Amino acid sequence: MDILRWLFEAQIPVGGSVLILREVLGNIFGLASALGGMRRKVWAWPVGIAGNLLLLTVFLGNVFGSATPATLWGQAGRQVMFIIVAVYGWQRWQQSRRASGSSTAIAPTWASARTRVALVLALVAGTAALTPLFDSLGSYPPVWADAWTFTGSLLATYGMARGWTEFWLIWVAVDVVGVPLLFSAGYFASAFMYLFYGFFTLAGFIVWWRASRVQTQSGPAAVKVETAFPDPAVSK
C-alpha cells in the first residue's frame, strides 16, 4: 500500500511547476509500446496496457486529485479503449506469429481504398458524435479536439491490430490536434511525449511502408525478419 500511495502522490519538480510521476511513467510505457509496435513485437501490447492504466488515473484529474486538475474525458476514455483494443491486438498478433512461425507478429499491409475512405469518415463522424457528449461531461475545451484524439486513437489502435500501414498516419493526425490540447490543459509531460510521438510515427510509417513493399515484391516470407529502423529486410 505504501508503494501505491507513493505512486499516486509522487511528483517531479520542474522549474516552478511539477510533473506527475504517473504521467511520466505512463508515457514511458507508451513509448516502449510504440517501439515494440514498430518492430512488430507481441510484447508491445501488454506494455502499452500498463501505460494506459497509469495514464487513466492521470487524465481523471479531479477524481484522483492530480496536480493538474483539468479532467479530459476523451483522454481518459481512450485509455480504457486502448486496453480493450489492445487485448484484441494482443490475441491477433499472437495468432499471427504462431501461424507464420516468425519472430515478428504480423506482416504490414495496405488497407483497401474503401477501408481508407471508411477510416476518414469514421474519424469525422466519431468526432462530431462525441463532442456534445464530452461537452456535457465537462471535458476541457476545445471539446472537439478531445473527441478527435479519442476517435483517432481508436482507429489507429485498431489499424495497428489489423496490420494496416496507414495506422501510423492516423496517429500523426491525432498528434497534430492532441499536442496543443495537452499543452493548454497543463499536461506537459504528455504533451512533450506526444510531440515526440509525432516524429516517431513518421519513422514508424517509413519502416512499415518499406516492409510492406518487400512483402508485395517477394511474398510473405520476405518479411519474416526482425524489423528495426532502418529496416534490415530492405537493406539487403
Side-chain angles (χ1 to χ4, degrees):
M1 294 301 294
D2 289 339
I3 295 178
L4 287 176
R5 184 179 299 110
W6 170 81
L7 180 63
F8 272 82
E9 295 177 355
Q11 300 177 355
I12 303 173
V14 177
S17 184
V18 295
L19 296 178
I20 305 169
L21 178 62
R22 284 171 288 131
E23 184 180 4
V24 175
L25 291 177
N27 281 292
I28 290 175
F29 275 98
L31 176 59
S33 177
L35 286 169
M38 186 170 70
R39 300 176 64 195
R40 292 176 280 142
K41 293 298 185 180
V42 174
W43 56 257
W45 296 103
V47 169
I49 290 174
N52 299 146
L53 290 171
L54 287 169
L55 290 175
L56 175 62
T57 68
V58 172
F59 290 120
L60 292 177
N62 290 324
V63 177
F64 289 92
S66 300
T68 303
T71 297
L72 292 175
W73 287 105
Q75 295 288 339
R78 77 176 188 156
Q79 305 308 318
V80 177
M81 174 274 298
F82 279 147
I83 295 171
I84 295 173
V85 180
V87 172
Y88 165 74
W90 191 356
Q91 293 177 341
R92 182 178 175 87
W93 281 30
Q94 283 181 318
Q95 293 171 354
S96 178
R97 185 180 63 178
R98 286 195 295 264
S100 66
S102 172
S103 62
T104 53
I106 200 166
T109 59
W110 292 98
S112 66
R114 179 178 296 180
T115 299
R116 293 176 187 174
V117 172
L119 289 172
V120 173
L121 292 177
L123 179 57
V124 175
T127 301
L130 290 174
T131 296
L133 173 61
F134 290 166
D135 187 39
S136 66
L137 292 173
S139 191
Y140 189 83
V143 181
W144 72 265
D146 204 14
W148 173 276
T149 58
F150 179 92
T151 306
S153 298
L154 171 61
L155 296 173
T157 307
Y158 178 71
M160 176 179 169
R162 295 298 301 269
W164 294 332
T165 304
E166 291 91 342
F167 92 89
W168 293 103
L169 298 181
I170 300 176
W171 275 125
V172 172
V174 169
D175 292 337
V176 167
V177 174
V179 169
L181 175 65
L182 291 169
F183 270 120
S184 65
Y187 290 104
F188 299 113
S190 294
F192 278 113
M193 185 61 70
Y194 274 87
L195 182 61
F196 173 75
Y197 281 166
F199 297 99
F200 179 84
T201 51
L202 291 175
F205 172 73
I206 293 173
V207 169
W208 276 45
W209 171 57
R210 296 174 71 185
S212 65
R213 286 181 60 193
V214 171
Q215 163 132 355
T216 301
Q217 295 169 359
S218 306
V223 294
K224 290 184 179 180
V225 295
E226 179 78 11
T227 302
F229 184 75
D231 192 341
V234 180
S235 63
K236 295 181 180 180

